[in-house]
Amino acid sequence: MNGAPELALVLKVWLFFVFAIAILANSKLAATKNHHAERKLAADIPGFISIDCGTDEDSIDKETGIPYKFDKELVNTGIVQTISPNWSGYITQQLKTLRSFPVGSRNCYTLRPEQAKNNNYMIRAQFLYGNYDGKNQTPIFDLYLGANWWTTMNSSGPVYSEIIYAPSTDYIDVCLVKTGDGVPFISSLELRHLDNSIYQTQYGALSNVMRYDIGEETGTKSPVIRYPDDVYDRQWMPLLFDSWIPIATNLTIYSQGNDNTYRLPAAVLRTAAKTPNATTALNIYWNTAHSLSKFYVYFHFAEIEMLGAGQRRELTITLNNESNLIYMRESVKLDYLHPLTIVQNDPPISGTQIKLSINASGTTMFPPILNAFEIFALKELPNKPTAIGDVEGIMEIRERYTVIRNWQGDPCVPSEYSWDGLNCSNDNSPRIISLNLSSSKLAGEIAASFSNLKALQSLDLSYNDLTGPFPEFFAQLTYLNTLDLSGNKLTGSIPEALVQKARDGKFVVRVGDNPDLYETADSAPSKRIKKKNKFVIPVVASSIVVLILLLLLIFGGQVKNRRR
């Protein structure tokens, strides 16, 4: 009976611990669920990839509601940094941290949207130096889109660079490249899927120069219109010159129909600017750094003034290059509350001083208006990426063996940033022709991914920890002429096709220090051959000794007989 209270006490303590453990487990499970929900939320907006560089957790932007993912899973290089607490000015959450890249000449983020190849994407990289390193020296570095130069970053920020691009691959590489003027860094990286029918180019990409919401005075509302007002998350800055007259409406803009493929936000189309009278043009002008630069212009209109019955505003748009007038379109007629986008992209505009004029046509008394416009520079992409089969093969090899090298971006292009251990051809579509992974701590069987490198001429996998049979697929690589597999733990035999190529002098294979590897399927294992040689030599030597002894005995017997 005396033990009953003690037993009850023990049971109570035991139940308390069970209950506590259950609570902790549930809390952990709930936290895990919340974490997974937050990670899942980062993909909830179709066609969006949003990366907050340098942070260690996912977040949701308070103003746009866009979920941002941390970048640890997308890049395995760089250093997490935080801008100086003394930096003043309004900044978004994504600009408070950054990732810098002091090591390596090229460091890349590889984006893999669900449908990348041949689909239109807007890519935006954002930067704020914020004196994170205490040096007060803004770094200068290059930004690359895949194998091609995109732009040079030379601003303390906050600043962003934006480009529209339809990749020819299932992934998009955005790379930061050292130029010798400081350490490259990035604050955020965003990708937005666009409809394939808009922002089209026959070649190259479109680098955003300016995008303005006309008629909205700065300070009257949020300075930038973006998502969720803009379904593509374009950023519209307000613009209103003193000579322009702002107009606005609160009525609904009819967004249906073929004229609204660009899906401009209603907040942008509800404001516009006009000139004082029909004889005054509405002018847009800018200077360019190079006379050969080419530009595409997108004018966005919506008639937001109610005119008289049967009356319509009619416009013409011209390019004024000194004394030459080139008509972009003979006439633009606007319908009340209906959007209309006019695109000048064929041929693109060029020159060092560009002036675009929107005029009232000669048949109307209403002054010209404009609701919004965008200007893009044509960015030619001269460097063709490495052949896709080679890229897929080498990336699989990188992942399969966790290769510890700065293998980022395009494997071959540009040549000055090609991957360590690779040599590539200089064809229109570069191919990997040699690969040296000697002493690279590769382990396991030789992956079939090597067979994707169809143009491979030389492969060195020596002195790793590779196991398993000698792969048959090496015999299928037409151009392979040198293969070094020395110093591994391969088993089986060398394929007869390769042995025959070696006999014909068309192939060099090195397989030394593979103790369990056969020379051919028909011959004894190399290990046994070595043992046999060691066995044969003593037998022959002992036979010779016996023979000599016999001869000596015989010779000695004959000598004795002669003496007798």
Side-chain angles (χ1 to χ4, degrees):
M1 295 296 293
N2 293 336
E6 295 177 1
L7 179 60
L9 179 62
V10 170
L11 287 173
K12 288 180 181 179
V13 172
W14 180 79
L15 288 172
F16 172 78
F17 278 111
V18 169
F19 183 67
I21 291 170
I23 291 175
L24 290 173
N26 286 332
S27 300
K28 185 176 181 180
L29 180 60
T32 303
K33 286 182 177 179
N34 289 336
H35 175 72
H36 286 304
E38 193 174 13
R39 296 293 294 169
K40 184 178 182 296
L41 189 60
D44 279 348
I45 302 177
F48 278 33
I49 295 178
S50 306
I51 304 165
D52 187 355
C53 304
T55 187
D56 58 359
E57 61 181 3
D58 295 348
S59 63
I60 298 178
D61 186 82
K62 295 179 180 179
E63 293 186 0
T64 65
I66 297 175
Y68 283 79
K69 296 175 65 176
F70 61 81
D71 65 344
K72 189 180 299 183
E73 298 174 359
L74 296 170
V75 63
N76 54 13
T77 57
I79 300 175
V80 172
Q81 306 280 6
T82 303
I83 65 169
S84 169
N86 297 326
W87 199 92
S88 60
Y90 172 77
I91 56 173
T92 62
Q93 180 66 32
Q94 296 80 45
L95 293 176
K96 294 179 181 179
T97 61
L98 59 94
R99 185 176 291 271
S100 67
F101 297 94
V103 177
S105 57
R106 178 176 67 170
N107 291 271
C108 304
Y109 286 83
T110 299
L111 307 178
R112 297 185 181 276
E114 291 185 4
Q115 297 176 334
K117 188 174 183 180
N118 299 326
N119 281 280
N120 223 14
Y121 284 92
M122 179 177 70
I123 306 159
R124 185 164 54 224
Q126 196 164 203
F127 307 86
L128 173 59
Y129 169 57
N131 196 29
Y132 75 88
D133 56 3
K135 296 180 179 180
N136 278 317
Q137 296 179 349
T138 303
I140 302 172
F141 55 93
D142 285 341
L143 196 62
Y144 270 68
L145 181 62
N148 289 277
W149 177 80
W150 173 356
T151 188
T152 296
M153 299 308 304
N154 182 16
S155 175
S156 60
V159 66
Y160 69 83
S161 188
E162 178 188 293
I163 198 164
I164 294 176
Y165 169 63
S168 60
T169 60
D170 292 327
Y171 58 90
I172 300 171
D173 283 330
V174 176
C175 302
L176 295 92
V177 176
K178 279 185 180 179
T179 60
D181 298 306
V183 176
F185 73 94
I186 186 170
S187 302
S188 71
L189 184 59
E190 301 163 339
L191 179 142
R192 309 290 185 248
H193 185 206
L194 307 175
D195 191 279
N196 288 341
S197 66
I198 61 177
Y199 301 111
Q200 293 183 333
T201 60
Q202 294 183 355
Y203 61 96
L206 295 177
S207 179
N208 179 255
V209 177
M210 57 185 80
R211 178 184 291 119
Y212 285 115
D213 171 19
I214 305 299
E216 186 63 52
E217 296 185 38
T218 304
T220 57
K221 60 180 181 180
S222 176
V224 179
I225 294 177
R226 56 179 300 189
Y227 189 87
D229 294 304
D230 190 314
V231 295
Y232 294 132
D233 193 31
R234 291 163 294 192
Q235 296 189 8
W236 300 89
M237 301 295 295
L239 178 66
L240 182 65
F241 292 134
D242 292 339
S243 59
W244 293 355
I245 301 173
I247 56 177
T249 183
N250 290 323
L251 298 177
T252 300
I253 303 294
Y254 298 108
S255 59
Q256 303 300 320
N258 296 329
D259 291 333
N260 193 34
T261 55
Y262 287 85
R263 303 182 69 181
L264 255 68
V268 171
L269 292 175
R270 286 192 184 113
T271 62
K274 65 180 181 179
T275 58
N277 52 63
T279 60
T280 304
L282 194 153
N283 297 315
I284 298 169
Y285 44 87
W286 73 96
N287 297 327
T288 66
H290 304 286
S291 61
L292 297 179
S293 298
K294 300 176 181 179
F295 299 92
Y296 289 176
V297 183
Y298 296 74
F299 293 106
H300 304 289
F301 299 97
E303 178 60 81
I304 57 175
E305 285 189 319
M306 183 176 289
L307 307 179
Q311 294 181 323
R312 297 172 71 187
R313 199 184 306 265
E314 189 170 345
L315 312 171
T316 60
I317 306 173
T318 62
L319 165 66
N320 187 342
N321 184 10
E322 297 179 354
S323 61
N324 298 322
L325 287 177
I326 302 175
Y327 283 82
M328 298 172 59
R329 183 165 175 161
E330 291 185 0
S331 176
V332 177
K333 296 180 180 180
L334 304 184
D335 293 321
Y336 186 52
L337 300 179
H338 283 267
L340 176 65
T341 295
I342 302 300
V343 181
Q344 166 55 27
N345 60 4
D346 189 19
I349 298 169
S350 61
T352 55
Q353 294 181 332
I354 297 175
K355 180 181 179 181
L356 291 164
S357 299
I358 303 174
N359 308 273
S361 71
T363 61
T364 182
M365 62 180 181
F366 301 107
I369 68 169
L370 179 63
N371 302 70
F373 73 95
E374 301 172 275
I375 298 175
F376 295 89
L378 177 63
K379 187 69 63 176
E380 297 183 5
L381 306 175
N383 295 330
K384 299 298 181 183
T386 304
I388 185 62
D390 288 22
V391 174
E392 291 174 350
I394 198 68
M395 284 185 171
E396 288 173 4
I397 292 167
R398 181 184 66 182
E399 299 303 320
R400 167 67 177 78
Y401 297 106
T402 316
V403 177
I404 305 176
R405 297 189 182 189
N406 190 18
W407 278 13
Q408 299 187 58
D410 190 280
C412 296
V413 188
S415 57
E416 59 266 35
Y417 305 121
S418 62
W419 290 7
D420 295 339
L422 294 186
N423 286 317
C424 302
S425 66
N426 295 320
D427 301 337
N428 184 43
S429 183
R431 307 296 303 271
I432 298 172
I433 58 175
S434 76
L435 174 58
N436 187 344
L437 287 173
S438 177
S439 303
S440 297
K441 299 181 180 179
L442 311 187
E445 295 188 358
I446 298 177
S449 306
F450 288 99
S451 65
N452 290 336
L453 308 180
K454 303 296 185 184
L456 201 62
Q457 300 174 15
S458 173
L459 176 61
D460 189 347
L461 300 177
S462 61
Y463 297 99
N464 286 292
D465 195 23
L466 297 172
T467 58
F470 195 118
E472 295 281 346
F473 61 72
F474 283 132
Q476 306 302 319
L477 295 177
T478 306
Y479 303 99
L480 186 64
N481 54 47
T482 303
L483 176 62
D484 194 342
L485 297 175
S486 305
N488 285 287
K489 300 175 182 177
L490 300 176
T491 59
S493 61
I494 303 173
E496 181 60 32
L498 292 180
V499 173
Q500 188 58 48
K501 285 178 68 176
R503 289 170 182 164
D504 296 339
K506 300 177 181 179
F507 186 72
V508 175
V509 58
R510 302 183 182 93
V511 292
D513 295 328
N514 282 277
D516 295 316
L517 184 66
Y518 303 177
E519 290 182 359
T520 65
D522 297 331
S523 66
S526 56
K527 177 180 177 182
R528 293 180 184 175
I529 290 172
K530 290 178 181 178
K531 286 184 176 181
K532 183 177 179 181
N533 289 339
K534 291 178 181 178
F535 174 74
V536 168
I537 291 171
V539 168
V540 172
S542 60
S543 300
I544 293 172
V545 171
V546 170
L547 180 60
I548 291 173
L549 290 174
L550 288 173
L551 290 174
L552 289 175
L553 290 173
I554 293 171
F555 180 74
Q558 290 177 349
V559 170
K560 288 181 180 179
N561 291 334
R562 288 177 183 175
R563 287 178 179 176
R564 290 176 182 174

